[in-house]
Amino acid sequence: MGDFQVLAKGIALAGCGIGAGCALIAGIGPGIGEGTAVSKALEAIGRQPECKGDVTGTMLLGCAVAETTGIYGFVTGLLLIFVAPGMFMGYLN
């Protein structure tokens, strides 16, 4: 195996690691957004307790939609850690 192949494999693995790290950072946004949504929902319920059902339902739907971005980032990170290196090594041999 030549020096070029070793370098290419190292760059591919480093790219997978950096990409996985960036993808897993995507979990920060939904956490902050969901925390803000829940705090605002609690403020709204505190001001008008009679609209508790409407506010809670809307908040839960919004949190579920926001959580999908974090899940997509997590799945992408897992794919970059476990699947992509094997694919790249197959291409480089």
Side-chain angles (χ1 to χ4, degrees), residues 2 4 6 17 31 45 50-52 58 64 67-68 72-76 83 89 91:
F4 175 73
V6 172
I45 292 171
E50 65 274 2
C51 70
K52 178 182 177 185
T58 305
E67 189 64 30
T68 59
Y72 291 147
F74 180 67
V75 170
T76 303
V83 177
M89 295 308 116
Y91 294 142

Side-chain angles (χ1 to χ4, degrees), residues 15-78:
C16 288
I18 292 170
C22 291
L24 293 177
I25 289 175
I28 294 172
I32 294 171
E34 290 173 20
T36 303
V38 170
S39 72
K40 296 297 181 182
L42 291 175
E43 287 178 15
I45 292 171
R47 283 192 213 109
Q48 293 182 337
E50 65 274 2
C51 70
K52 178 182 177 185
D54 294 335
V55 171
T56 303
T58 305
M59 179 201 63
L60 288 175
L61 179 64
C63 285
V65 170
E67 189 64 30
T68 59
T69 59
I71 292 171
Y72 291 147
F74 180 67
V75 170
T76 303
L78 287 178

